Amino acid sequence: MPANKRDKASDVFNSTNYAFCSKVSFSEAFPQIKNMRVEVEEDGEGVYELSKRQVFYKENMGEFINCSNSRCYNGGFNIGSIIRNMVESKRTEFETDRRCQGYEGSPKGKKRYGPCFNSFHIKVQITYNE
Ligand SMILES: [Zn+2]
């Protein structure tokens, strides 16, 4: 990987052992979810069109969705917590906005230059097994 690449939220998460948070896939963690569609629109640095749209399903969903700002360390947001909240209350649709949790900094994140202003608009649809 390039020397100046910043670890993103999912990289930091994957290299950390959270005792309280198991790293099983969403399909395994939530057998009650039949289908899931998560649409994420990102605005900010590293987004070369008006906005960047990504779609995720339970098969390719991770705990975090990364931001596109190449100077941002630990960038992205926690989609897992949004999904868990929805599943707990059996919600089928949810729409929200999140700011990037990262900051612009040195490649290993030791120096902070300032916040990352990338933002995400998130639309989630879930169907449940009977
Ligand atoms: Zn960021």
Side-chain angles (χ1 to χ4, degrees), residues 27-65:
S27 310
E28 289 172 278
F30 302 113
Q32 66 270 55
I33 293 180
K34 192 176 183 187
N35 282 304
M36 178 166 80
R37 184 180 189 277
V38 179
E39 195 179 303
V40 179
E41 248 179 276
E42 181 183 2
D43 282 302
E45 287 289 326
V47 178
Y48 297 109
E49 289 149 45
L50 219 50
S51 64
K52 178 179 167 187
R53 188 188 300 259
Q54 292 176 277
V55 180
F56 300 89
Y57 301 94
K58 72 171 183 179
E59 292 79 16
N60 66 352
M61 176 68 95
E63 179 70 17
F64 286 88
I65 290 173

PDB file of all heavy atoms in Angstrom, residues 27-65:
ATOM      1  N   SER A  27     -24.637 -10.895   8.471  1.00  0.00           N
ATOM      2  CA  SER A  27     -25.543 -12.035   8.286  1.00  0.00           C
ATOM      3  C   SER A  27     -25.539 -12.944   9.502  1.00  0.00           C
ATOM      4  O   SER A  27     -26.583 -13.441   9.923  1.00  0.00           O
ATOM      5  CB  SER A  27     -25.127 -12.840   7.053  1.00  0.00           C
ATOM      6  OG  SER A  27     -24.965 -11.995   5.955  1.00  0.00           O
ATOM      7  N   GLU A  28     -24.343 -13.150  10.066  1.00  0.00           N
ATOM      8  CA  GLU A  28     -24.248 -14.011  11.251  1.00  0.00           C
ATOM      9  C   GLU A  28     -24.789 -13.315  12.490  1.00  0.00           C
ATOM     10  O   GLU A  28     -25.453 -13.920  13.321  1.00  0.00           O
ATOM     11  CB  GLU A  28     -22.782 -14.394  11.508  1.00  0.00           C
ATOM     12  CG  GLU A  28     -22.201 -15.355  10.509  1.00  0.00           C
ATOM     13  CD  GLU A  28     -20.706 -15.525  10.726  1.00  0.00           C
ATOM     14  OE1 GLU A  28     -19.941 -14.672  10.249  1.00  0.00           O
ATOM     15  OE2 GLU A  28     -20.318 -16.500  11.386  1.00  0.00           O
ATOM     16  N   ALA A  29     -24.488 -12.026  12.603  1.00  0.00           N
ATOM     17  CA  ALA A  29     -24.884 -11.289  13.808  1.00  0.00           C
ATOM     18  C   ALA A  29     -26.388 -11.076  13.866  1.00  0.00           C
ATOM     19  O   ALA A  29     -26.976 -11.033  14.938  1.00  0.00           O
ATOM     20  CB  ALA A  29     -24.168  -9.947  13.858  1.00  0.00           C
ATOM     21  N   PHE A  30     -27.017 -10.950  12.698  1.00  0.00           N
ATOM     22  CA  PHE A  30     -28.446 -10.648  12.656  1.00  0.00           C
ATOM     23  C   PHE A  30     -29.189 -11.621  11.757  1.00  0.00           C
ATOM     24  O   PHE A  30     -29.583 -11.271  10.647  1.00  0.00           O
ATOM     25  CB  PHE A  30     -28.679  -9.219  12.152  1.00  0.00           C
ATOM     26  CG  PHE A  30     -28.002  -8.166  12.968  1.00  0.00           C
ATOM     27  CD1 PHE A  30     -26.972  -7.422  12.430  1.00  0.00           C
ATOM     28  CD2 PHE A  30     -28.391  -7.925  14.276  1.00  0.00           C
ATOM     29  CE1 PHE A  30     -26.344  -6.445  13.185  1.00  0.00           C
ATOM     30  CE2 PHE A  30     -27.762  -6.961  15.034  1.00  0.00           C
ATOM     31  CZ  PHE A  30     -26.733  -6.216  14.490  1.00  0.00           C
ATOM     32  N   PRO A  31     -29.396 -12.842  12.225  1.00  0.00           N
ATOM     33  CA  PRO A  31     -30.124 -13.816  11.407  1.00  0.00           C
ATOM     34  C   PRO A  31     -31.563 -13.359  11.133  1.00  0.00           C
ATOM     35  O   PRO A  31     -32.189 -13.849  10.199  1.00  0.00           O
ATOM     36  CB  PRO A  31     -30.090 -15.098  12.248  1.00  0.00           C
ATOM     37  CG  PRO A  31     -29.777 -14.663  13.620  1.00  0.00           C
ATOM     38  CD  PRO A  31     -28.989 -13.402  13.520  1.00  0.00           C
ATOM     39  N   GLN A  32     -32.071 -12.426  11.937  1.00  0.00           N
ATOM     40  CA  GLN A  32     -33.450 -11.964  11.731  1.00  0.00           C
ATOM     41  C   GLN A  32     -33.575 -11.002  10.545  1.00  0.00           C
ATOM     42  O   GLN A  32     -34.664 -10.694  10.110  1.00  0.00           O
ATOM     43  CB  GLN A  32     -34.006 -11.308  13.011  1.00  0.00           C
ATOM     44  CG  GLN A  32     -33.335 -10.017  13.434  1.00  0.00           C
ATOM     45  CD  GLN A  32     -32.160 -10.245  14.374  1.00  0.00           C
ATOM     46  OE1 GLN A  32     -31.229 -10.994  14.071  1.00  0.00           O
ATOM     47  NE2 GLN A  32     -32.183  -9.588  15.517  1.00  0.00           N
ATOM     48  N   ILE A  33     -32.432 -10.524  10.049  1.00  0.00           N
ATOM     49  CA  ILE A  33     -32.483  -9.643   8.874  1.00  0.00           C
ATOM     50  C   ILE A  33     -32.583 -10.495   7.616  1.00  0.00           C
ATOM     51  O   ILE A  33     -31.730 -11.340   7.348  1.00  0.00           O
ATOM     52  CB  ILE A  33     -31.239  -8.732   8.789  1.00  0.00           C
ATOM     53  CG1 ILE A  33     -31.238  -7.729   9.937  1.00  0.00           C
ATOM     54  CG2 ILE A  33     -31.214  -7.995   7.448  1.00  0.00           C
ATOM     55  CD1 ILE A  33     -30.040  -6.795   9.932  1.00  0.00           C
ATOM     56  N   LYS A  34     -33.645 -10.245   6.866  1.00  0.00           N
ATOM     57  CA  LYS A  34     -33.826 -10.969   5.616  1.00  0.00           C
ATOM     58  C   LYS A  34     -33.043 -10.270   4.510  1.00  0.00           C
ATOM     59  O   LYS A  34     -32.207 -10.862   3.839  1.00  0.00           O
ATOM     60  CB  LYS A  34     -35.315 -11.014   5.273  1.00  0.00           C
ATOM     61  CG  LYS A  34     -35.683 -11.961   4.176  1.00  0.00           C
ATOM     62  CD  LYS A  34     -37.222 -11.970   4.029  1.00  0.00           C
ATOM     63  CE  LYS A  34     -37.664 -12.970   2.986  1.00  0.00           C
ATOM     64  NZ  LYS A  34     -39.118 -12.840   2.745  1.00  0.00           N
ATOM     65  N   ASN A  35     -33.318  -9.006   4.340  1.00  0.00           N
ATOM     66  CA  ASN A  35     -32.588  -8.206   3.357  1.00  0.00           C
ATOM     67  C   ASN A  35     -32.279  -6.838   3.933  1.00  0.00           C
ATOM     68  O   ASN A  35     -33.011  -6.321   4.775  1.00  0.00           O
ATOM     69  CB  ASN A  35     -33.418  -8.023   2.085  1.00  0.00           C
ATOM     70  CG  ASN A  35     -33.380  -9.259   1.212  1.00  0.00           C
ATOM     71  OD1 ASN A  35     -32.311  -9.725   0.821  1.00  0.00           O
ATOM     72  ND2 ASN A  35     -34.556  -9.807   0.944  1.00  0.00           N
ATOM     73  N   MET A  36     -31.215  -6.276   3.422  1.00  0.00           N
ATOM     74  CA  MET A  36     -30.819  -4.961   3.904  1.00  0.00           C
ATOM     75  C   MET A  36     -30.203  -4.204   2.738  1.00  0.00           C
ATOM     76  O   MET A  36     -29.446  -4.763   1.944  1.00  0.00           O
ATOM     77  CB  MET A  36     -29.797  -5.140   5.022  1.00  0.00           C
ATOM     78  CG  MET A  36     -29.262  -3.858   5.582  1.00  0.00           C
ATOM     79  SD  MET A  36     -28.399  -4.187   7.138  1.00  0.00           S
ATOM     80  CE  MET A  36     -26.849  -4.772   6.526  1.00  0.00           C
ATOM     81  N   ARG A  37     -30.566  -2.938   2.643  1.00  0.00           N
ATOM     82  CA  ARG A  37     -29.983  -2.092   1.607  1.00  0.00           C
ATOM     83  C   ARG A  37     -29.588  -0.783   2.263  1.00  0.00           C
ATOM     84  O   ARG A  37     -30.407  -0.116   2.902  1.00  0.00           O
ATOM     85  CB  ARG A  37     -30.991  -1.848   0.500  1.00  0.00           C
ATOM     86  CG  ARG A  37     -30.432  -1.063  -0.668  1.00  0.00           C
ATOM     87  CD  ARG A  37     -31.514  -0.867  -1.724  1.00  0.00           C
ATOM     88  NE  ARG A  37     -30.951  -0.294  -2.939  1.00  0.00           N
ATOM     89  CZ  ARG A  37     -30.733   1.006  -3.119  1.00  0.00           C
ATOM     90  NH1 ARG A  37     -31.017   1.877  -2.168  1.00  0.00           N
ATOM     91  NH2 ARG A  37     -30.221   1.443  -4.263  1.00  0.00           N
ATOM     92  N   VAL A  38     -28.331  -0.424   2.139  1.00  0.00           N
ATOM     93  CA  VAL A  38     -27.827   0.809   2.738  1.00  0.00           C
ATOM     94  C   VAL A  38     -27.246   1.676   1.629  1.00  0.00           C
ATOM     95  O   VAL A  38     -26.326   1.261   0.928  1.00  0.00           O
ATOM     96  CB  VAL A  38     -26.735   0.510   3.793  1.00  0.00           C
ATOM     97  CG1 VAL A  38     -26.211   1.808   4.389  1.00  0.00           C
ATOM     98  CG2 VAL A  38     -27.268  -0.396   4.883  1.00  0.00           C
ATOM     99  N   GLU A  39     -27.813   2.848   1.486  1.00  0.00           N
ATOM    100  CA  GLU A  39     -27.335   3.767   0.467  1.00  0.00           C
ATOM    101  C   GLU A  39     -26.629   4.916   1.164  1.00  0.00           C
ATOM    102  O   GLU A  39     -27.168   5.538   2.068  1.00  0.00           O
ATOM    103  CB  GLU A  39     -28.547   4.274  -0.326  1.00  0.00           C
ATOM    104  CG  GLU A  39     -28.184   4.951  -1.620  1.00  0.00           C
ATOM    105  CD  GLU A  39     -29.442   5.406  -2.348  1.00  0.00           C
ATOM    106  OE1 GLU A  39     -30.314   4.551  -2.620  1.00  0.00           O
ATOM    107  OE2 GLU A  39     -29.544   6.604  -2.627  1.00  0.00           O
ATOM    108  N   VAL A  40     -25.396   5.173   0.746  1.00  0.00           N
ATOM    109  CA  VAL A  40     -24.592   6.202   1.388  1.00  0.00           C
ATOM    110  C   VAL A  40     -24.139   7.214   0.349  1.00  0.00           C
ATOM    111  O   VAL A  40     -23.499   6.858  -0.633  1.00  0.00           O
ATOM    112  CB  VAL A  40     -23.352   5.586   2.074  1.00  0.00           C
ATOM    113  CG1 VAL A  40     -22.513   6.675   2.727  1.00  0.00           C
ATOM    114  CG2 VAL A  40     -23.757   4.552   3.095  1.00  0.00           C
ATOM    115  N   GLU A  41     -24.485   8.459   0.589  1.00  0.00           N
ATOM    116  CA  GLU A  41     -24.027   9.534  -0.284  1.00  0.00           C
ATOM    117  C   GLU A  41     -23.017  10.365   0.484  1.00  0.00           C
ATOM    118  O   GLU A  41     -23.308  10.872   1.567  1.00  0.00           O
ATOM    119  CB  GLU A  41     -25.214  10.411  -0.676  1.00  0.00           C
ATOM    120  CG  GLU A  41     -25.578  10.317  -2.135  1.00  0.00           C
ATOM    121  CD  GLU A  41     -26.767  11.198  -2.447  1.00  0.00           C
ATOM    122  OE1 GLU A  41     -27.903  10.740  -2.237  1.00  0.00           O
ATOM    123  OE2 GLU A  41     -26.532  12.324  -2.865  1.00  0.00           O
ATOM    124  N   GLU A  42     -21.828  10.505  -0.085  1.00  0.00           N
ATOM    125  CA  GLU A  42     -20.775  11.233   0.615  1.00  0.00           C
ATOM    126  C   GLU A  42     -20.466  12.537  -0.099  1.00  0.00           C
ATOM    127  O   GLU A  42     -20.437  12.593  -1.327  1.00  0.00           O
ATOM    128  CB  GLU A  42     -19.510  10.364   0.672  1.00  0.00           C
ATOM    129  CG  GLU A  42     -18.365  11.045   1.403  1.00  0.00           C
ATOM    130  CD  GLU A  42     -17.091  10.203   1.393  1.00  0.00           C
ATOM    131  OE1 GLU A  42     -17.089   9.128   0.787  1.00  0.00           O
ATOM    132  OE2 GLU A  42     -16.108  10.663   1.991  1.00  0.00           O
ATOM    133  N   ASP A  43     -20.223  13.572   0.665  1.00  0.00           N
ATOM    134  CA  ASP A  43     -19.774  14.851   0.129  1.00  0.00           C
ATOM    135  C   ASP A  43     -18.496  15.262   0.827  1.00  0.00           C
ATOM    136  O   ASP A  43     -18.335  15.027   2.011  1.00  0.00           O
ATOM    137  CB  ASP A  43     -20.836  15.940   0.379  1.00  0.00           C
ATOM    138  CG  ASP A  43     -21.970  15.836  -0.612  1.00  0.00           C
ATOM    139  OD1 ASP A  43     -21.688  15.905  -1.812  1.00  0.00           O
ATOM    140  OD2 ASP A  43     -23.116  15.668  -0.175  1.00  0.00           O
ATOM    141  N   GLY A  44     -17.601  15.921   0.080  1.00  0.00           N
ATOM    142  CA  GLY A  44     -16.404  16.454   0.720  1.00  0.00           C
ATOM    143  C   GLY A  44     -15.155  16.149  -0.068  1.00  0.00           C
ATOM    144  O   GLY A  44     -15.204  15.847  -1.256  1.00  0.00           O
ATOM    145  N   GLU A  45     -14.024  16.199   0.619  1.00  0.00           N
ATOM    146  CA  GLU A  45     -12.714  15.960   0.005  1.00  0.00           C
ATOM    147  C   GLU A  45     -12.634  14.551  -0.563  1.00  0.00           C
ATOM    148  O   GLU A  45     -13.119  13.600   0.043  1.00  0.00           O
ATOM    149  CB  GLU A  45     -11.606  16.100   1.064  1.00  0.00           C
ATOM    150  CG  GLU A  45     -11.328  17.513   1.497  1.00  0.00           C
ATOM    151  CD  GLU A  45     -10.639  18.330   0.414  1.00  0.00           C
ATOM    152  OE1 GLU A  45      -9.842  17.748  -0.348  1.00  0.00           O
ATOM    153  OE2 GLU A  45     -10.910  19.539   0.329  1.00  0.00           O
ATOM    154  N   GLY A  46     -12.009  14.438  -1.748  1.00  0.00           N
ATOM    155  CA  GLY A  46     -11.817  13.118  -2.332  1.00  0.00           C
ATOM    156  C   GLY A  46     -13.028  12.621  -3.082  1.00  0.00           C
ATOM    157  O   GLY A  46     -13.010  11.533  -3.648  1.00  0.00           O
ATOM    158  N   VAL A  47     -14.096  13.419  -3.084  1.00  0.00           N
ATOM    159  CA  VAL A  47     -15.297  13.075  -3.838  1.00  0.00           C
ATOM    160  C   VAL A  47     -15.260  13.910  -5.107  1.00  0.00           C
ATOM    161  O   VAL A  47     -15.327  15.131  -5.048  1.00  0.00           O
ATOM    162  CB  VAL A  47     -16.582  13.374  -3.034  1.00  0.00           C
ATOM    163  CG1 VAL A  47     -17.821  13.059  -3.846  1.00  0.00           C
ATOM    164  CG2 VAL A  47     -16.573  12.598  -1.727  1.00  0.00           C
ATOM    165  N   TYR A  48     -15.094  13.242  -6.247  1.00  0.00           N
ATOM    166  CA  TYR A  48     -14.776  13.995  -7.454  1.00  0.00           C
ATOM    167  C   TYR A  48     -15.993  14.364  -8.277  1.00  0.00           C
ATOM    168  O   TYR A  48     -15.910  15.177  -9.170  1.00  0.00           O
ATOM    169  CB  TYR A  48     -13.759  13.225  -8.300  1.00  0.00           C
ATOM    170  CG  TYR A  48     -12.472  13.071  -7.545  1.00  0.00           C
ATOM    171  CD1 TYR A  48     -12.058  11.845  -7.050  1.00  0.00           C
ATOM    172  CD2 TYR A  48     -11.696  14.197  -7.268  1.00  0.00           C
ATOM    173  CE1 TYR A  48     -10.894  11.729  -6.328  1.00  0.00           C
ATOM    174  CE2 TYR A  48     -10.529  14.087  -6.540  1.00  0.00           C
ATOM    175  CZ  TYR A  48     -10.127  12.846  -6.072  1.00  0.00           C
ATOM    176  OH  TYR A  48      -8.982  12.734  -5.345  1.00  0.00           O
ATOM    177  N   GLU A  49     -17.111  13.750  -7.992  1.00  0.00           N
ATOM    178  CA  GLU A  49     -18.335  14.223  -8.618  1.00  0.00           C
ATOM    179  C   GLU A  49     -19.079  15.046  -7.588  1.00  0.00           C
ATOM    180  O   GLU A  49     -18.561  15.334  -6.526  1.00  0.00           O
ATOM    181  CB  GLU A  49     -19.172  13.033  -9.107  1.00  0.00           C
ATOM    182  CG  GLU A  49     -18.536  12.349 -10.313  1.00  0.00           C
ATOM    183  CD  GLU A  49     -18.833  10.863 -10.354  1.00  0.00           C
ATOM    184  OE1 GLU A  49     -19.996  10.510 -10.125  1.00  0.00           O
ATOM    185  OE2 GLU A  49     -17.910  10.082 -10.600  1.00  0.00           O
ATOM    186  N   LEU A  50     -20.297  15.390  -7.888  1.00  0.00           N
ATOM    187  CA  LEU A  50     -21.069  16.203  -6.966  1.00  0.00           C
ATOM    188  C   LEU A  50     -21.203  15.500  -5.617  1.00  0.00           C
ATOM    189  O   LEU A  50     -21.074  16.086  -4.562  1.00  0.00           O
ATOM    190  CB  LEU A  50     -22.453  16.465  -7.574  1.00  0.00           C
ATOM    191  CG  LEU A  50     -23.013  17.865  -7.347  1.00  0.00           C
ATOM    192  CD1 LEU A  50     -21.994  18.927  -7.733  1.00  0.00           C
ATOM    193  CD2 LEU A  50     -24.286  18.050  -8.156  1.00  0.00           C
ATOM    194  N   SER A  51     -21.431  14.207  -5.690  1.00  0.00           N
ATOM    195  CA  SER A  51     -21.436  13.398  -4.479  1.00  0.00           C
ATOM    196  C   SER A  51     -21.128  11.971  -4.904  1.00  0.00           C
ATOM    197  O   SER A  51     -21.199  11.630  -6.073  1.00  0.00           O
ATOM    198  CB  SER A  51     -22.786  13.471  -3.766  1.00  0.00           C
ATOM    199  OG  SER A  51     -23.781  12.921  -4.590  1.00  0.00           O
ATOM    200  N   LYS A  52     -20.756  11.158  -3.936  1.00  0.00           N
ATOM    201  CA  LYS A  52     -20.382   9.788  -4.224  1.00  0.00           C
ATOM    202  C   LYS A  52     -21.419   8.876  -3.594  1.00  0.00           C
ATOM    203  O   LYS A  52     -21.693   8.976  -2.399  1.00  0.00           O
ATOM    204  CB  LYS A  52     -18.999   9.517  -3.620  1.00  0.00           C
ATOM    205  CG  LYS A  52     -18.492   8.113  -3.792  1.00  0.00           C
ATOM    206  CD  LYS A  52     -17.108   8.030  -3.167  1.00  0.00           C
ATOM    207  CE  LYS A  52     -16.650   6.593  -3.015  1.00  0.00           C
ATOM    208  NZ  LYS A  52     -15.393   6.530  -2.250  1.00  0.00           N
ATOM    209  N   ARG A  53     -22.016   8.027  -4.409  1.00  0.00           N
ATOM    210  CA  ARG A  53     -23.057   7.153  -3.909  1.00  0.00           C
ATOM    211  C   ARG A  53     -22.561   5.715  -3.873  1.00  0.00           C
ATOM    212  O   ARG A  53     -22.012   5.203  -4.843  1.00  0.00           O
ATOM    213  CB  ARG A  53     -24.276   7.242  -4.818  1.00  0.00           C
ATOM    214  CG  ARG A  53     -25.498   6.518  -4.303  1.00  0.00           C
ATOM    215  CD  ARG A  53     -26.564   6.510  -5.356  1.00  0.00           C
ATOM    216  NE  ARG A  53     -26.935   7.878  -5.713  1.00  0.00           N
ATOM    217  CZ  ARG A  53     -28.027   8.487  -5.263  1.00  0.00           C
ATOM    218  NH1 ARG A  53     -28.842   7.864  -4.457  1.00  0.00           N
ATOM    219  NH2 ARG A  53     -28.310   9.719  -5.625  1.00  0.00           N
ATOM    220  N   GLN A  54     -22.729   5.085  -2.745  1.00  0.00           N
ATOM    221  CA  GLN A  54     -22.358   3.674  -2.600  1.00  0.00           C
ATOM    222  C   GLN A  54     -23.555   2.922  -2.039  1.00  0.00           C
ATOM    223  O   GLN A  54     -24.291   3.467  -1.216  1.00  0.00           O
ATOM    224  CB  GLN A  54     -21.202   3.503  -1.616  1.00  0.00           C
ATOM    225  CG  GLN A  54     -19.877   4.057  -2.095  1.00  0.00           C
ATOM    226  CD  GLN A  54     -18.824   3.929  -1.004  1.00  0.00           C
ATOM    227  OE1 GLN A  54     -18.744   4.757  -0.111  1.00  0.00           O
ATOM    228  NE2 GLN A  54     -18.042   2.874  -1.056  1.00  0.00           N
ATOM    229  N   VAL A  55     -23.715   1.694  -2.480  1.00  0.00           N
ATOM    230  CA  VAL A  55     -24.802   0.877  -1.964  1.00  0.00           C
ATOM    231  C   VAL A  55     -24.216  -0.397  -1.358  1.00  0.00           C
ATOM    232  O   VAL A  55     -23.342  -1.027  -1.940  1.00  0.00           O
ATOM    233  CB  VAL A  55     -25.824   0.523  -3.070  1.00  0.00           C
ATOM    234  CG1 VAL A  55     -26.950  -0.335  -2.514  1.00  0.00           C
ATOM    235  CG2 VAL A  55     -26.391   1.798  -3.685  1.00  0.00           C
ATOM    236  N   PHE A  56     -24.699  -0.726  -0.170  1.00  0.00           N
ATOM    237  CA  PHE A  56     -24.233  -1.925   0.525  1.00  0.00           C
ATOM    238  C   PHE A  56     -25.420  -2.827   0.851  1.00  0.00           C
ATOM    239  O   PHE A  56     -26.533  -2.351   1.061  1.00  0.00           O
ATOM    240  CB  PHE A  56     -23.536  -1.550   1.844  1.00  0.00           C
ATOM    241  CG  PHE A  56     -22.336  -0.663   1.661  1.00  0.00           C
ATOM    242  CD1 PHE A  56     -22.483   0.717   1.645  1.00  0.00           C
ATOM    243  CD2 PHE A  56     -21.072  -1.196   1.488  1.00  0.00           C
ATOM    244  CE1 PHE A  56     -21.387   1.550   1.468  1.00  0.00           C
ATOM    245  CE2 PHE A  56     -19.975  -0.381   1.307  1.00  0.00           C
ATOM    246  CZ  PHE A  56     -20.133   1.003   1.301  1.00  0.00           C
ATOM    247  N   TYR A  57     -25.135  -4.105   0.898  1.00  0.00           N
ATOM    248  CA  TYR A  57     -26.140  -5.097   1.294  1.00  0.00           C
ATOM    249  C   TYR A  57     -25.565  -5.879   2.463  1.00  0.00           C
ATOM    250  O   TYR A  57     -24.395  -5.730   2.799  1.00  0.00           O
ATOM    251  CB  TYR A  57     -26.456  -6.017   0.119  1.00  0.00           C
ATOM    252  CG  TYR A  57     -26.982  -5.249  -1.064  1.00  0.00           C
ATOM    253  CD1 TYR A  57     -26.126  -4.822  -2.076  1.00  0.00           C
ATOM    254  CD2 TYR A  57     -28.328  -4.905  -1.150  1.00  0.00           C
ATOM    255  CE1 TYR A  57     -26.604  -4.078  -3.152  1.00  0.00           C
ATOM    256  CE2 TYR A  57     -28.813  -4.168  -2.213  1.00  0.00           C
ATOM    257  CZ  TYR A  57     -27.943  -3.756  -3.213  1.00  0.00           C
ATOM    258  OH  TYR A  57     -28.418  -3.014  -4.254  1.00  0.00           O
ATOM    259  N   LYS A  58     -26.381  -6.736   3.068  1.00  0.00           N
ATOM    260  CA  LYS A  58     -25.878  -7.402   4.287  1.00  0.00           C
ATOM    261  C   LYS A  58     -24.654  -8.266   3.982  1.00  0.00           C
ATOM    262  O   LYS A  58     -23.823  -8.483   4.844  1.00  0.00           O
ATOM    263  CB  LYS A  58     -26.982  -8.192   4.989  1.00  0.00           C
ATOM    264  CG  LYS A  58     -27.412  -9.455   4.297  1.00  0.00           C
ATOM    265  CD  LYS A  58     -28.356 -10.234   5.220  1.00  0.00           C
ATOM    266  CE  LYS A  58     -28.741 -11.544   4.570  1.00  0.00           C
ATOM    267  NZ  LYS A  58     -29.632 -12.346   5.404  1.00  0.00           N
ATOM    268  N   GLU A  59     -24.540  -8.709   2.726  1.00  0.00           N
ATOM    269  CA  GLU A  59     -23.400  -9.558   2.362  1.00  0.00           C
ATOM    270  C   GLU A  59     -22.076  -8.786   2.319  1.00  0.00           C
ATOM    271  O   GLU A  59     -21.019  -9.358   2.543  1.00  0.00           O
ATOM    272  CB  GLU A  59     -23.633 -10.211   0.995  1.00  0.00           C
ATOM    273  CG  GLU A  59     -24.751 -11.241   0.964  1.00  0.00           C
ATOM    274  CD  GLU A  59     -26.147 -10.608   0.905  1.00  0.00           C
ATOM    275  OE1 GLU A  59     -26.243  -9.398   0.591  1.00  0.00           O
ATOM    276  OE2 GLU A  59     -27.127 -11.317   1.197  1.00  0.00           O
ATOM    277  N   ASN A  60     -22.124  -7.515   1.969  1.00  0.00           N
ATOM    278  CA  ASN A  60     -20.860  -6.767   1.832  1.00  0.00           C
ATOM    279  C   ASN A  60     -20.740  -5.633   2.845  1.00  0.00           C
ATOM    280  O   ASN A  60     -19.951  -4.718   2.692  1.00  0.00           O
ATOM    281  CB  ASN A  60     -20.700  -6.223   0.400  1.00  0.00           C
ATOM    282  CG  ASN A  60     -21.735  -5.161   0.036  1.00  0.00           C
ATOM    283  OD1 ASN A  60     -22.667  -4.924   0.794  1.00  0.00           O
ATOM    284  ND2 ASN A  60     -21.566  -4.538  -1.099  1.00  0.00           N
ATOM    285  N   MET A  61     -21.550  -5.715   3.893  1.00  0.00           N
ATOM    286  CA  MET A  61     -21.563  -4.657   4.893  1.00  0.00           C
ATOM    287  C   MET A  61     -20.519  -4.886   5.958  1.00  0.00           C
ATOM    288  O   MET A  61     -20.335  -6.000   6.429  1.00  0.00           O
ATOM    289  CB  MET A  61     -22.952  -4.659   5.540  1.00  0.00           C
ATOM    290  CG  MET A  61     -23.069  -3.684   6.639  1.00  0.00           C
ATOM    291  SD  MET A  61     -23.003  -2.056   5.948  1.00  0.00           S
ATOM    292  CE  MET A  61     -24.677  -1.782   5.823  1.00  0.00           C
ATOM    293  N   GLY A  62     -19.807  -3.834   6.324  1.00  0.00           N
ATOM    294  CA  GLY A  62     -18.873  -3.916   7.439  1.00  0.00           C
ATOM    295  C   GLY A  62     -19.355  -3.053   8.583  1.00  0.00           C
ATOM    296  O   GLY A  62     -20.413  -2.438   8.510  1.00  0.00           O
ATOM    297  N   GLU A  63     -18.579  -3.012   9.654  1.00  0.00           N
ATOM    298  CA  GLU A  63     -18.953  -2.209  10.821  1.00  0.00           C
ATOM    299  C   GLU A  63     -18.840  -0.710  10.517  1.00  0.00           C
ATOM    300  O   GLU A  63     -19.598   0.098  11.034  1.00  0.00           O
ATOM    301  CB  GLU A  63     -18.039  -2.602  11.991  1.00  0.00           C
ATOM    302  CG  GLU A  63     -18.276  -1.859  13.290  1.00  0.00           C
ATOM    303  CD  GLU A  63     -19.597  -2.227  13.979  1.00  0.00           C
ATOM    304  OE1 GLU A  63     -20.188  -3.262  13.639  1.00  0.00           O
ATOM    305  OE2 GLU A  63     -20.037  -1.453  14.846  1.00  0.00           O
ATOM    306  N   PHE A  64     -17.888  -0.364   9.644  1.00  0.00           N
ATOM    307  CA  PHE A  64     -17.672   1.041   9.318  1.00  0.00           C
ATOM    308  C   PHE A  64     -17.721   1.272   7.813  1.00  0.00           C
ATOM    309  O   PHE A  64     -17.379   0.378   7.032  1.00  0.00           O
ATOM    310  CB  PHE A  64     -16.299   1.506   9.812  1.00  0.00           C
ATOM    311  CG  PHE A  64     -16.226   1.691  11.291  1.00  0.00           C
ATOM    312  CD1 PHE A  64     -15.897   0.631  12.110  1.00  0.00           C
ATOM    313  CD2 PHE A  64     -16.490   2.926  11.864  1.00  0.00           C
ATOM    314  CE1 PHE A  64     -15.830   0.783  13.485  1.00  0.00           C
ATOM    315  CE2 PHE A  64     -16.432   3.093  13.237  1.00  0.00           C
ATOM    316  CZ  PHE A  64     -16.099   2.024  14.050  1.00  0.00           C
ATOM    317  N   ILE A  65     -18.112   2.443   7.414  1.00  0.00           N
ATOM    318  CA  ILE A  65     -17.990   2.871   6.023  1.00  0.00           C
ATOM    319  C   ILE A  65     -16.969   4.007   6.003  1.00  0.00           C
ATOM    320  O   ILE A  65     -17.048   4.949   6.799  1.00  0.00           O
ATOM    321  CB  ILE A  65     -19.363   3.294   5.458  1.00  0.00           C
ATOM    322  CG1 ILE A  65     -20.238   2.031   5.307  1.00  0.00           C
ATOM    323  CG2 ILE A  65     -19.202   4.003   4.108  1.00  0.00           C
ATOM    324  CD1 ILE A  65     -21.669   2.290   4.929  1.00  0.00           C
TER     325      ILE A  65
END
